[in-house]
Amino acid sequence: MALRPLERLSTRARFALAQGARVGWYGTQSVMSSRLVSRWEKEVPEEDRKRAQTDRPVPNRGALLEDVRDLMRRDLANVEAGLYPMPRDEQGGLSGAIERARLYFDDLPQVVRRRHTKSHRELDEAVAPRPDYYQQNFHFQTDGWMSEHSARLYDTQVETLFLGAAAAMRRQALVPIARELATRDQRGCSFVDVACGTGSFLRTVNRAFPRLTTVGVELSEAYAVHARHTIGRRPRTGTIVADAEGLPLADASVDFATAIYLFHELPPEVRTRVARELARAIAPGGLFVFVDSLQFGDRPTHDGLLELFPQLFHEPYYRNYLVADLEAVFRDAGFAVEASETAFLSKVTTFRRLPAL
Ligand SMILES: C[S@@+](CC[C@H](N)C(=O)[O-])C[C@H]1O[C@@H](n2cnc3c(N)ncnc32)[C@H](O)[C@@H]1O
């Protein structure tokens, strides 16, 4: 429904204030952390220093902020078009944000140390068995994905990396789902967020489509517990600790699925198995919305940034991801590509599950 002029003005003002504050908050943390990291790196002996290098183009901070503005304009247009509600940050207000920033900055020296000593297997032995590829300090973060401490600082780490635009990039996955739900009854539909992490996108889905039955699947028990806290107690939603290679979901039982920032963290053979598993669980005609990093060539002006990323953050499968033919992986699993577009440093691809032959 079209907004009246005053309503539109108020929507735009609230959006600009909230998203401007968000980008300012995380952008400031990004600048502060870059400065701190450069200072600490001067103390690393020259021969041990790992310099990140690329010959490909790297956009400067001004260009990245212009990208963020473009994304926010798109996000606002989606809100104004009624595709999803005004975004809301619900993570404990200012004191919660300050506490998370403290955790993030406390962990930063460890991240830098791991990067320069190439340490990416510093995990607590008490962690329950998980696939070997998974048992690493992704992002050089303390405990990898496997502790409550890691879950508490994850969102700040990701938002700082993306200058406060991570949630807006994820929200672009709501668009194809909203369009589809315009002609369907939410009450008869189900949604799964595979590798739901700390649950921030699942909470967004629950706000946008409150009658949908939703579930988050997550391999990290600590993150699944955190996600449960994020989504709160409400009917028709929850999280399950499980491996995306063996989703605890019946065949053809899902109408909508997402996997956000999962595939770049998977070895190639696991990507194929997870794609097949998604195809098994999603009903013919159902949608899978993929949101993940850009790949080489998606935005050639940003290719250098993609090449630098795994040098700065531990991402063992990312180089392969950058050149992988992902559409072929999903086509082979039984999906057809419906649409693909970039959103700042991510791409959002919508796949439709084809009927079995
Ligand atoms: C980069 S995080 C992305 C989390 C979340 N989707 C987001 O948007 O921030 C990757 C997540 O994938 C989870 N993960 C990795 N491999 C998995 C697997 N095989 N099955 C389920 N979750 C997995 C990790 O535990 C982690 O929470």
Side-chain angles (χ1 to χ4, degrees):
M1 205 171 49
L3 294 177
R4 285 192 292 266
L6 259 182
E7 253 181 293
R8 174 164 295 216
L9 202 65
S10 142
T11 302
R12 290 189 174 184
R14 283 186 296 135
F15 184 92
L17 272 176
Q19 297 308 310
R22 183 171 231 283
V23 172
W25 174 250
Y26 290 110
T28 305
Q29 290 181 64
S30 167
V31 172
M32 280 169 62
S33 50
S34 301
R35 291 199 181 145
L36 280 171
V37 169
S38 312
R39 195 184 301 163
W40 293 330
E41 285 185 330
K42 291 199 180 103
E43 290 160 25
V44 176
E46 185 63 32
E47 62 276 18
D48 295 339
R49 221 177 278 173
K50 304 280 174 298
R51 289 187 199 285
Q53 287 174 333
T54 180
D55 295 328
R56 300 170 196 254
V58 179
N60 61 26
R61 199 175 280 275
L64 291 174
L65 284 172
E66 192 46 51
D67 284 349
V68 171
R69 256 179 239 122
D70 286 346
L71 173 67
M72 294 302 176
R73 281 189 207 108
R74 213 160 113 192
D75 199 29
L76 174 61
N78 292 338
V79 172
E80 290 184 336
L83 291 169
Y84 48 82
M86 176 74 85
R88 197 197 285 163
D89 277 325
E90 292 163 280
Q91 295 190 316
L94 185 61
S95 61
I98 292 171
E99 173 58 11
R100 287 193 303 278
R102 184 189 68 74
L103 287 173
Y104 166 74
F105 280 104
D106 277 357
D107 198 42
L108 205 52
Q110 296 301 325
V111 171
V112 175
R113 176 189 59 74
R114 287 191 192 97
R115 177 153 92 83
H116 290 284
T117 55
K118 286 196 163 172
S119 309
H120 49 78
R121 290 269 182 186
E122 291 181 3
L123 297 174
D124 187 343
E125 282 174 31
V127 168
R130 293 285 182 270
D132 186 61
Y133 76 81
Y134 182 75
Q135 305 236 22
Q136 308 192 42
N137 297 84
F138 284 89
H139 296 198
F140 290 121
Q141 193 165 294
T142 300
D143 304 331
W145 302 136
M146 287 181 266
S147 71
E148 171 56 16
H149 171 265
S150 156
R152 280 197 291 150
L153 64 78
Y154 171 81
D155 285 306
T156 299
Q157 201 219 32
V158 173
E159 288 293 1
T160 300
L161 181 67
F162 291 126
L163 305 172
M169 290 191 286
R170 290 189 191 100
R171 280 195 291 275
Q172 303 319 301
L174 298 175
V175 174
I177 300 175
R179 294 207 169 113
E180 195 83 359
L181 280 174
T183 56
R184 289 178 71 174
D185 184 349
Q186 287 180 28
R187 285 169 299 191
C189 294
S190 64
F191 164 88
V192 57
D193 186 24
V194 175
C196 68
T198 55
S200 54
F201 182 67
L202 192 55
R203 179 184 56 202
T204 304
V205 171
N206 288 342
R207 268 194 80 221
F209 314 119
R211 294 194 183 85
L212 208 56
T213 297
T214 69
V215 69
V217 171
E218 172 50 57
L219 188 51
S220 162
E221 188 164 2
Y223 275 58
V225 168
H226 194 100
R228 242 165 264 158
H229 181 71
T230 305
I231 58 179
R233 289 168 71 86
R234 52 185 292 163
R236 296 184 297 276
T237 191
T239 65
I240 307 175
V241 180
D243 191 333
E245 290 188 63
L247 293 171
L249 303 167
D251 293 359
S253 61
V254 172
D255 299 287
F256 303 99
T258 49
I260 305 186
Y261 306 134
L262 169 67
F263 276 77
H264 75 271
E265 301 215 328
L266 302 179
E269 64 284 4
V270 181
R271 280 181 217 138
T272 303
R273 290 200 290 268
V274 174
R276 285 196 196 129
E277 200 41 14
L278 280 161
R280 180 191 64 72
I282 298 175
L287 288 188
F288 167 57
V289 190
F290 167 100
V291 180
D292 214 311
S293 161
L294 296 173
Q295 294 179 283
F296 279 152
D298 285 333
R299 298 189 67 190
T301 49
H302 290 51
D303 279 356
L305 208 57
L306 307 184
E307 191 163 38
L308 290 176
F309 180 56
Q311 301 178 54
L312 299 168
F313 295 87
H314 181 57
E315 286 288 3
Y317 312 108
Y318 189 78
R319 285 184 184 81
N320 174 283
Y321 168 91
L322 288 176
V323 295
D325 187 348
L326 294 169
E327 290 193 1
V329 169
F330 287 101
R331 266 198 310 271
D332 291 349
F335 291 96
V337 182
E338 290 241 309
S340 190
E341 59 181 5
T342 63
F344 184 30
L345 298 171
S346 300
K347 73 162 141 198
V348 182
T349 307
T350 307
F351 295 94
R352 193 174 294 276
R353 177 73 173 101
L354 296 170
L357 291 177

